Amino acid sequence: MTASHLAPRTGSEAMTLFLPQSPFVQHLGIELVEIEEGRARLRMPFREELVTVGAMVHGGALAACIDIGIVAAAWAGERLPEQLRGVTVSMSIDFVQSANGESVDIIGTRLRAGRQLTTCRVDIVTTGDERLVAAGGGTYKMG
Ligand SMILES: CC(C)(COP(=O)(O)OP(=O)(O)OC[C@H]1O[C@@H](n2cnc3c(N)ncnc32)[C@H](O)[C@@H]1OP(=O)(O)O)[C@@H](O)C(=O)NCCC(=O)NCCSC(=O)Cc1ccccc1
């Protein structure tokens, strides 16, 4: 992310400002639901455009959810780097069971914030009944 035109005071504020105006996040319809120190919950409401076949949510859309969950968890909280920028360096995903015509929640948890590299875990669950759809995580370079 690069968000030099924003003037947030905390990492959480940076995410609250950045995510709604990031084009691909908008395209997927992903919204930030809550953010606290080291943890963020986002939601991707179900839409026909997210389907791979039948009503199954496409794995690529879920992989994007992992990426966005990493970003949100990496920035979640007080810490704000001098340079408002960052990139995902690596990520992985296990598809656990399909989401069929269902909205999903993305739960990102920061495991460790180093000087430059931050490691996060992300669970994707169905909204409401919280069935695990995919699990993953990755490494994010901040600042
Ligand atoms: C940057 C690094 C991780 C290497 O790291 P290093 O060894 O430390 O780097 P090095 O010192 O060799 O500089 C090399 C160049 O990199 C630049 N730079 C450095 N740090 C940053 C930074 N933090 N942010 C931005 N740029 C940075 C630096 O200025 C230089 O540029 P230059 O050449 O002078 O013009 C590299 O492997 C890479 O870019 N990988 C691709 C990553 C990628 O494309 N990920 C997927 C997209 S992310 C995504 O989508 C997440 C998302 C989801 C949802 C919403 C929003 C976002």
Side-chain angles (χ1 to χ4, degrees):
M1 89 162 224
T2 48
S4 48
H5 59 291
L6 306 174
R9 287 160 302 177
T10 66
S12 288
E13 224 172 84
M15 281 300 97
T16 305
L17 294 167
F18 168 72
L19 290 170
Q21 53 89 57
S22 177
F24 193 55
V25 177
Q26 274 179 17
H27 182 68
L28 292 172
I30 293 176
E31 308 146 2
L32 184 63
V33 175
E34 57 191 32
I35 188 161
E36 61 190 65
E37 191 64 48
R39 194 175 151 90
R41 180 183 284 257
L42 304 100
R43 184 161 297 148
M44 182 171 74
F46 178 76
R47 296 200 331 266
E48 290 297 332
E49 293 85 348
L50 299 174
V51 161
T52 182
V53 64
M56 189 191 289
V57 176
H58 195 287
L62 296 173
C65 290
I66 296 285
D67 189 6
I68 294 161
I70 291 169
V71 175
W75 286 81
E78 289 297 316
R79 179 167 113 150
L80 193 67
E82 252 173 55
Q83 292 202 71
L84 291 185
R85 63 176 200 173
V87 283
T88 307
V89 178
S90 71
M91 57 167 275
S92 67
I93 182 167
D94 283 315
F95 298 103
V96 177
Q97 58 188 315
S98 59
N100 293 298
E102 293 161 288
S103 301
V104 294
D105 279 15
I106 305 154
I107 304 164
T109 309
R110 189 171 60 230
L111 302 178
R112 181 176 187 272
R115 272 171 299 161
Q116 291 199 314
L117 296 181
T118 297
T119 309
C120 300
R121 180 174 65 219
V122 182
D123 286 334
I124 302 177
V125 300
T126 52
T127 304
D129 60 355
E130 307 239 332
R131 239 176 343 100
L132 186 66
V133 169
T139 307
Y140 185 78
K141 181 176 188 285
M142 242 175 130

